[in-house]
Amino acid sequence: MKVLKFGGTSVGSVESITNVKKIVENVKEPVIVVVSALGGITDKLLNTSKLASKGDIAYKKEFEETVKRHFSIIKHVVARSKQTAVLKRIGEIFEELENIFVGVSLIKDLSPKTSDTIVSYGERLSSYMISNIINNAKLYDSRQFIKTYKQFNKHVVDFELTNKLIKNTFKEIPDIAVVPGFISSCRYDDEVTNLGRGGSDYTASILAAALDASTLEIWTDVDGFMTADPKVINSAYVIEKLSFTEAMELSNFGAKVIYPPTIYPAFHKNIPIRVLNTFNPSAAGTLISKETENSNSENSKKAIIKGISSINDTCLVTIQGLGMVGVIGVNYRIFRVLAKNGISVFMVSQASSENNTTFAVKNEDSDLAVAVLNEEFASERERGEIDDVEAEKGLATVAIVGENMKRTPGIAGKLFGTLGRAGISVIACAQGASETNISFVIKLEYLRKALNSIHDSFFLSEYKVLNIFVAGVGTVGGHLLEQIERQQKKLMNQKGVKLNVAGVANSKKVLLKREGLDLKYCIRDLKNNGMDSSPSILRDEIVKMNIFNAIFVDCTSSEKIAALYETFLNKNISIVAANKIAASSSYKNYSLLKETARKRGIKYLFETNVGAGLPIINTMNDLINSGDSILKLEAVLSGSLNFILNTISEKIPFSKAVKMALDAGYAEPDPRIDLSGKDVLRKLVILAREAGYIIEQKDVKLTPFISEKYLKGTIEDFWKSLHELDAEFEEKRNTLFVKNKRLRYVASMNEGKCQVGLMDVDSRHPFYELEGSNNIIMISTERYHDYPMIIKGYGAGADVTAAGIFADIISIANIR
């Protein structure tokens, strides 16, 4: 014999009830079917009661809607031969209920006893309907055998009497028995009581345990227990197996799949529980049993923890004072008075010094908890031994659960490290000696971020997700989005990394989507559907999303965008910047950003600030981190200027070479930015700082590529006068050509002394053969002294710059 329980959504519509009928009638052994009220009916009955108790005639409309819904389902699902009789009986039940509502409305009072009676009609109606829909089903009244008594203002099952009555009632079990869940009666006066919201699960478990059922099946609207709330975490998946302990912990801390008290009766009799989906009956579901998976089993290799659950309705109540230290019985008094007032505590945390005790309750219980504790400890408060009791609302409790956590070192460290890197502060925490649960309290606003961060960190997710925001979707940003789109599937399949572009922005608009933008159309959608933006709006919208594993990618050259970095880093958002402004700004700002990233455990990366996609900065960091010291740098760091110098010839004058660099996309729209040498200066400042030297831009000796007078005025003036330099550059080129030399624009640093300017190099110099727009750097260190390390390659171009940014993004995922 097995027991099947069907929840409100499972009996809430014609489609779902049809599925229930098929599922039950296909069972090949005797079965007891426990049903809840139709989905939403219990809430509707409670709301109708409240309206009636206020004398609000709107209760009549609510009542009529409830009647119509039941009648509609009967007409669609009950066999025609039975419809008249079923409608007649349902009508009689509704007449009883209507009379109660009329009475409540007249006296404008709703007692707990009357409320319990009213809500019982939900299950009474549904069970009668289901018993007439399933063939050969026999209806039983759970009020006749589920007995309760009052304890701390709650109805508690009298198991001794209940088990005796169940066994007498079901001496002979029919092929199909239908029982209303949730409802019960008082053992003393047979008044209607109930087992609490979700109590139908409990009814089923009580029946299964009393009758030694082979299995208890809980049929609901999900495929089973999930690793986390799928409404919050898209990558949450069904847990195949749970121990009774794991299921109890997850249920207690917010997993709404099973009503928590359901677990114990089944556990006591070692009756396996299977959670199944009425709308997807072929799914395997979740099996709950005494067996625990070994940490080496195939199913458990994926993750040490089984799941994450949370309670977003949390208030922390703290009682503290030096007068508590060493005093026996303080906690006894705390929890005694809470129990007397029917206040349930779901987490406790106490300082080892005993000077404070903190516990978590639901927000609705917090004011009462504070009041009764202040009253209980009134004399101690008056003497100053204990402070006034404090309550902090707006919180959430999170629990990570798993039997494999037992005696596995480093779990708590990994958990709190993950939260720290996400910028989430833990207010209180608790872990039992069983080591199957670590619970902690955080601010409610960080709940989504915390759940996603933990799910990702403990490999409960199929993929490690990086949530990316791209500012600047022009040439470089556009190429980056194309590269990400091409690589997304490969990275997911081969590296287990999912790149989720959650936002794009240009100078005027921003487009955000937590689930990720369609990269094929995101630039078009930004133009057509993006919201008006500014740097401050962009900052506020990204911060407001409070998304985990967030990376802000700056493909602009905007000083205002660079000014956002500090805020983002302080919100634990990593930065990947092609924008050189921040790293070359004041040394104070540069070091602040670096230090903030280090303290926060996140990244501030700017490899493409120098050399586009060349691994210059990473190589320098590797050298320094391994104990080497950088003594000297010599580099050609401007792809556009090197292209110009390589293009000038007898046939191509300087002015034409500049125009060609612009047309090829190497030079800035205003080439004076390149020709001033300031771009190279900024790059040298960044390299010198990364080499360990405290350098400001004013410390660099700069000789511009061309005379200062050509850098002033309008862009039109510049183009008109540029040909005046043709003869000068041709003369320089020709003079050097005769000597077998070439002109290069070189940035150099020698033990902290920096300069930028034109330099002629002979054929033996590594810079001599530097072609096109390539960059090159020679790094002299204590180890690489006589033979400097040389890095050479493409130093300009949107595609290689985008590739360098992409590499920085991937490095944050720590994959190889």
Side-chain angles (χ1 to χ4, degrees), residues 784-797:
Y784 296 88
H785 190 269
D786 296 330
Y787 298 96
M789 179 182 288
I790 296 176
I791 301 171
K792 181 170 71 171
Y794 289 121

Side-chain angles (χ1 to χ4, degrees), residues 420-423 562-575 582 587-606 690:
R421 285 190 296 276
L564 304 180
Y565 294 0
E566 184 181 355
T567 298
F568 286 145
L569 291 171
N570 278 312
K571 294 295 181 180
N572 285 72
I573 299 172
S574 291
I575 303 290
Y587 186 84
K588 181 181 178 182
N589 186 57
Y590 160 84
S591 58
L592 173 66
L593 296 178
K594 296 269 287 187
E595 183 64 12
T596 302
R598 187 189 67 79
K599 285 182 177 178
R600 291 279 180 174
I602 53 175
K603 300 292 185 182
Y604 169 38
L605 303 176
F606 42 88
E690 290 295 290

Side-chain angles (χ1 to χ4, degrees), residues 710-723:
Y710 295 101
L711 303 174
K712 298 175 182 178
T714 65
I715 186 68
E716 289 78 15
D717 294 336
F718 166 75
W719 285 115
K720 286 178 183 177
S721 61
L722 191 60
H723 70 279

Side-chain angles (χ1 to χ4, degrees), residues 250-266:
L250 288 171
S251 299
N252 271 327
F253 281 90
K256 296 180 175 64
V257 181
I258 290 182
Y259 182 51
T262 305
I263 308 293
Y264 178 72

Side-chain angles (χ1 to χ4, degrees), residues 44 60-70:
K44 203 164 188 68
K60 293 182 179 180
K61 183 181 178 183
E62 289 284 296
F63 176 73
E64 288 170 6
E65 289 174 356
T66 302
V67 174
K68 286 179 181 177
R69 183 175 172 194
H70 284 79

Side-chain angles (χ1 to χ4, degrees), residues 317-448:
V317 178
T318 299
I319 179 167
Q320 62 183 345
L322 294 178
M324 295 172 61
V325 178
V327 178
I328 297 172
V330 173
N331 283 342
Y332 165 72
R333 290 171 62 190
I334 291 171
F335 296 111
R336 179 191 63 185
V337 74
L338 293 173
K340 279 185 177 180
N341 287 275
I343 298 170
S344 177
V345 173
F346 52 82
M347 195 191 91
V348 179
S349 180
Q350 182 179 28
S352 58
S353 64
E354 300 180 342
N355 76 330
N356 72 71
T357 297
T358 298
F359 55 88
V361 297
K362 290 184 177 180
N363 284 304
E364 64 183 21
D365 292 331
S366 61
D367 292 340
L368 178 59
V370 170
V372 298
L373 287 170
N374 276 331
E375 183 180 346
E376 173 71 22
F377 292 96
S379 59
E380 288 88 349
R381 288 169 50 234
E382 190 175 337
R383 294 193 299 270
E385 295 172 0
I386 291 179
D387 301 335
D388 289 346
V389 180
E390 297 177 352
E392 184 178 359
K393 299 180 181 179
L395 306 175
T397 306
V398 180
I400 63 169
V401 174
E403 295 268 12
N404 288 336
M405 287 164 54
K406 291 179 181 178
R407 291 172 291 281
T408 302
I411 301 297
K414 183 175 182 178
L415 170 65
F416 295 121
T418 297
L419 294 171
R421 285 190 296 276
I424 299 169
S425 176
V426 173
I427 300 168
C429 63
Q431 180 179 17
S434 66
E435 298 185 73
T436 57
N437 175 330
I438 300 177
S439 311
F440 58 91
V441 177
I442 57 174
K443 287 186 177 180
L444 180 59
E445 64 189 272
Y446 293 124
L447 178 59
R448 176 185 286 271

Side-chain angles (χ1 to χ4, degrees), residues 5 154 157 159 195-206 216 218 225 243-268 273 275 288 309-311 344-346 362 437:
K5 178 265 174 179
K154 293 188 178 180
V157 175
F159 276 101
L195 304 181
R197 297 301 297 268
S200 293
D201 291 350
Y202 198 16
T203 302
S205 183
I206 292 167
L216 168 60
I218 304 292
F225 272 87
S243 69
F244 284 117
T245 301
E246 289 169 334
M248 176 68 83
E249 296 283 10
L250 288 171
S251 299
N252 271 327
F253 281 90
K256 296 180 175 64
V257 181
I258 290 182
Y259 182 51
T262 305
I263 308 293
Y264 178 72
F267 163 76
H268 184 63
I273 302 172
V275 181
I288 304 168
S309 59
S310 61
I311 301 172
S344 177
V345 173
F346 52 82
K362 290 184 177 180
N437 175 330

Side-chain angles (χ1 to χ4, degrees), residues 77-90:
V77 185
V78 175
R80 288 191 176 182
S81 59
K82 291 184 177 182
Q83 276 191 18
T84 301
V86 171
L87 287 169
K88 181 175 182 295
R89 178 59 189 143
I90 290 292

